[in-house]
Amino acid sequence: MGSRVKLKIDSTQKILLKRSLNKNGEAQRFFSTEMQRIMNPYVPVRSGSLRRSAIVHDDSVEYNSPYARRQYYENQGNGIEGMNNGGRGGHTWDKRAWADNGDAVVDSVAAFVGGKRA
């Protein structure tokens, strides 16, 4: 008659851990590092101190400069490498960097964890 098949499946946490997908795991840190890398050309630059102030955390990238918030929301892109001068520097650099490079970041994170983009 029929035969039985018994499957032994690892727990969800164990599967996530194998792929470094656990909370604040290596994949999250890799993603944050990749985001900092792709955002760098989009961050406004005068002296370069804002770009150099980037601190990569497990789950975020922080720009630790007294004027970072103002530059993020109000920069007009008129600097040396600004949007209005043929460059990419300007406001909301994370959103613009993701729009231009998000697929490549997804591919690199997928490769990092041993998979591929769906």
Side-chain angles (χ1 to χ4, degrees):
M1 293 190 130
S3 60
R4 297 176 123 197
V5 176
K6 185 174 183 178
L7 296 175
K8 183 177 179 186
I9 300 174
D10 290 334
S11 70
T12 303
Q13 289 303 323
K14 190 171 183 179
I15 294 168
L16 292 174
L17 189 58
K18 279 183 183 178
R19 296 281 187 156
S20 302
L21 292 169
N22 51 316
K23 182 176 168 119
N24 296 328
E26 292 177 47
Q28 178 64 55
R29 177 71 178 197
F30 180 81
F31 173 76
S32 296
T33 302
E34 282 290 283
M35 285 303 297
Q36 190 275 328
R37 183 183 63 77
I38 68 151
M39 286 188 295
N40 195 52
Y42 293 81
V43 175
V45 61
R46 180 175 292 181
S47 67
S49 61
L50 181 57
R51 285 183 179 177
R52 287 190 304 273
S53 77
I55 300 169
V56 178
H57 300 285
D58 286 341
D59 62 351
S60 64
V61 178
E62 174 185 7
Y63 289 86
N64 191 12
S65 175
Y67 54 89
R69 177 180 290 278
R70 184 172 186 171
Q71 290 298 315
Y72 180 81
Y73 290 107
E74 298 177 17
N75 186 283
Q76 299 296 310
N78 293 322
I80 298 167
E81 297 179 19
M83 298 178 296
N84 297 328
N85 291 322
R88 293 179 275 187
H91 62 86
T92 58
W93 52 82
D94 59 334
K95 292 171 180 50
R96 293 182 302 106
W98 180 257
D100 292 348
N101 303 288
D103 288 344
V105 172
V106 170
D107 289 341
S108 65
V109 172
F112 179 80
V113 300
K116 59 183 178 180
R117 183 165 38 128

